[in-house]
Amino acid sequence: GDQASINNDLVFSDFNKISVKDVCFSYPDSYPGKASDFLAGPFDEDITKGELLFIVGGNGSGKSTFIKLLTGLCYPDKGDIYVDSSRIDKTNYSALRNLFSAVYTDFHLFDKFYGVKNIDASTVNYWLKKMKMEDKVEYSDGGFTRTSLSTGQRKRLAFIAAMLEDKPILVLDEFAADQDPQFRKYFYETLLPELKLMGKTVIAVT
């Protein structure tokens, strides 16, 4: 077959290690022909199955760009990403993306759980309780009953939606930023270690 065509049938059902090797990305400048002002990388990182990985850095240090490259939202200008022994290129990019569910800083919360099959109400209710949301929101008819919620609370619901997708890797980008101090402590000290015990690979940007 044509090697350049996108192989949407390819699926990484799981992985042992994702390797990011010497990956760089430049944001194109708004003026054609002008050299790019912003280059991110080179990034080198191995992500091992079951790991809890914190990505720490100041504003503008490239954390979000690294996450976009890792999760397949951006294509690197240079360097390679491997899932075990498979090199990622444009033909198998969607298979890389499918390993991740994420709650990004600019997350969007849908009314329903789109693309999630066979949602079990008791699982949703379990997570509502875990995320201290059982008094504020109910699950019904494939989605959350909404009341007026804070950004932090909406982010917790986005977390539940990401858990229901049940992908091998969960990415949480600045998740604790909008949470109250009590929940933030609970998130770091209780929730993240529990996710690790469940076998999730968790990447937390902070």
Side-chain angles (χ1 to χ4, degrees):
D2 177 10
Q3 284 301 302
S5 66
I6 292 169
N7 181 357
N8 285 322
D9 301 328
L10 179 73
V11 174
F12 299 123
S13 57
D14 213 342
F15 75 102
N16 290 312
K17 189 168 84 170
I18 296 177
S19 304
V20 176
K21 295 181 191 291
D22 206 27
V23 164
C24 295
F25 181 78
S26 55
Y27 285 96
D29 202 88
S30 45
Y31 302 104
K34 184 172 177 283
S36 170
D37 281 344
F38 185 73
L39 177 74
F43 297 112
D44 281 284
E45 188 62 59
D46 286 340
I47 291 123
T48 312
K49 183 180 167 62
E51 181 176 19
L52 171 53
L53 177 69
F54 287 99
I55 297 176
V56 181
N59 286 344
S61 61
K63 302 188 301 291
S64 293
T65 305
F66 172 75
I67 288 298
K68 284 175 181 162
L69 288 161
L70 178 66
T71 57
L73 291 179
C74 292
Y75 198 73
D77 295 329
K78 178 174 167 276
D80 292 301
I81 298 172
Y82 289 87
V83 176
D84 296 323
S85 59
S86 301
R87 181 178 169 272
I88 298 301
D89 57 27
K90 292 199 165 136
T91 67
N92 57 9
Y93 231 58
S94 62
L96 172 71
R97 281 193 200 113
N98 268 323
L99 286 171
F100 296 90
S101 52
V103 181
Y104 295 107
T105 41
D106 52 352
F107 71 100
H108 182 79
L109 186 60
F110 289 103
D111 301 339
K112 299 264 195 287
F113 299 124
Y114 294 105
V116 181
K117 294 182 184 75
N118 311 324
I119 296 168
D120 176 37
S122 62
T123 306
V124 182
N125 290 328
Y126 168 84
W127 282 109
L128 281 171
K129 214 171 174 136
K130 281 294 244 194
M131 299 309 281
K132 320 274 191 216
M133 291 296 289
E134 76 271 30
D135 298 338
K136 298 179 178 69
V137 176
E138 286 177 4
Y139 169 66
S140 103
D141 192 28
F144 293 123
T145 58
R146 289 284 193 71
T147 51
S148 51
L149 300 170
S150 69
T151 304
Q153 290 167 339
R154 288 175 52 249
K155 215 180 237 189
R156 293 185 211 178
L157 296 184
F159 171 94
I160 296 173
M163 287 304 294
L164 292 173
E165 286 182 42
D166 200 22
K167 300 289 174 66
I169 310 171
L170 179 65
V171 174
L172 300 168
D173 191 358
E174 302 276 8
F175 183 82
D178 302 295
Q179 307 300 335
D180 58 68
Q182 205 178 351
F183 189 87
R184 198 175 300 164
K185 186 176 187 316
Y186 166 75
F187 171 72
Y188 284 117
E189 293 179 6
T190 305
L191 203 57
L192 287 179
E194 281 184 16
L195 291 172
K196 192 176 187 312
L197 283 175
M198 286 170 62
K200 283 273 174 219
T201 305
V202 181
I203 301 172
V205 181
T206 177

